[in-house]
Amino acid sequence: GNSVTQMEGPVTLSEEAFLTINCTYTATGYPSLFWYVQYPGEGLQLLLKATKADDKGSNKGFEATYRKETTSFHLEKGSVQVSDSAVYFCALSDGGSQGNLIFGKGTKLSVKP
Amino acid sequence: DAGITQSPRHKVTETGTPVTLRCHQTENHRYMYWYRQDPGHGLRLIHYSYGVKDTDKGEVSDGYSVSRSKTEDFLLTLESATSSQTSVYFCAISEFGSRDQPQHFGDGTRLSIL
């Protein structure tokens, strides 16, 4: 079945450090890929998405490229801020079940000043 | 922000009692979803709805039922709550339910079953 694997956390970085959170997936067909962010006490917010191979999603300085050959969708940011501290979820949707999302387990990021 | 309201936001109850969580949306979206979030599991789909009175099971549907009598409301019921259902529950909505369309989430309900 379809699945998403993302790197275990927590990840602790200093402000202005480079961020990479790895995400790989297993899916039949051509899924869409998403990154969601969850700030403490809140629901999930869409951070970025990519719907086909080689697409690059970007938002708020975060980027991720849909790599079909490596079945990956790694999240990157060149210079993190304290306000980026949150839990990040990678997810896929193959549309097979009414657009249902399959999530990774989440990666908690803490950024220290 | 998408107009999604979950109620209650927090609830503590005892094993064996019935519990109903409500999700209300003001976006007139066709698709609505219930997820549970547990440490080490990410979010897992419980049930979803693709229209009024049209619902289907997700990955972890045992012990849960849902109802949707109006477009804007999607109810999740635990008929007889168990401690294993202690979790944070999220509602999500989607306009078309297609694979390239993101879902929008409510702020969650934290449910503790003692």
Side-chain angles (χ1 to χ4, degrees):
Chain A
N2 297 339
S3 66
V4 174
T5 303
Q6 61 182 105
M7 62 187 288
E8 298 284 331
V11 174
T12 302
L13 296 174
S14 297
E15 205 165 22
E16 300 184 0
F18 185 86
L19 169 70
T20 300
I21 300 178
N22 291 336
C23 172
T24 57
Y25 67 90
T26 301
T28 55
Y30 302 95
S32 291
L33 301 172
F34 304 86
W35 276 102
Y36 283 84
V37 58
Q38 183 181 31
Y39 298 103
E42 299 184 9
L44 279 71
Q45 301 174 23
L46 177 69
L47 183 58
L48 52 85
K49 73 172 187 178
T51 59
K52 61 182 186 297
D54 300 325
D55 268 2
K56 177 185 283 188
S58 61
N59 186 26
K60 300 180 181 179
F62 291 89
E63 293 184 340
T65 301
Y66 188 162
R67 302 287 188 199
K68 193 171 187 298
E69 63 275 15
T70 55
T71 62
S72 65
F73 192 54
H74 305 321
L75 182 68
E76 296 182 337
K77 187 176 185 184
S79 176
V80 295
Q81 305 300 311
V82 172
S83 57
D84 294 326
S85 298
V87 181
Y88 293 82
F89 292 93
C90 185
L92 73 81
S93 172
D94 64 5
S97 296
Q98 314 293 337
N100 295 340
L101 290 172
I102 296 168
F103 286 89
K105 295 181 179 180
T107 302
K108 183 176 182 179
L109 170 66
S110 296
V111 181
K112 307 299 184 186
Chain B
D1 289 344
I4 307 169
T5 303
Q6 291 187 232
S7 59
R9 292 295 314 279
H10 303 272
K11 187 173 181 65
V12 180
T13 190
E14 294 184 347
T15 300
T17 61
V19 177
T20 296
L21 309 182
R22 180 182 183 232
C23 177
H24 178 79
Q25 60 142 330
T26 58
E27 306 295 322
N28 201 37
H29 284 356
R30 180 180 174 190
Y31 291 83
M32 299 184 75
Y33 311 81
W34 277 109
Y35 294 88
R36 60 178 289 173
Q37 182 181 26
D38 303 291
H41 290 278
L43 278 78
R44 293 178 291 175
L45 182 68
I46 304 171
H47 282 279
Y48 65 96
S49 170
Y50 47 98
V52 173
K53 298 186 179 178
D54 291 323
T55 65
D56 206 349
K57 296 178 180 180
E59 177 188 357
V60 291
S61 59
D62 286 349
Y64 301 95
S65 62
V66 290
S67 65
R68 191 168 178 201
S69 59
K70 298 185 289 185
T71 298
E72 58 266 35
D73 289 326
F74 192 32
L75 304 181
L76 177 70
T77 298
L78 291 65
E79 300 289 350
S80 178
T82 68
S83 58
S84 64
Q85 294 175 311
T86 292
S87 187
V88 181
Y89 291 85
F90 287 98
C91 173
I93 64 174
S94 172
E95 188 170 8
F96 300 115
S98 58
R99 71 168 188 86
D100 60 346
Q101 188 177 51
Q103 295 177 15
H104 302 283
F105 287 79
D107 287 337
T109 294
R110 184 173 296 275
L111 178 63
S112 297
I113 300 164
L114 307 178

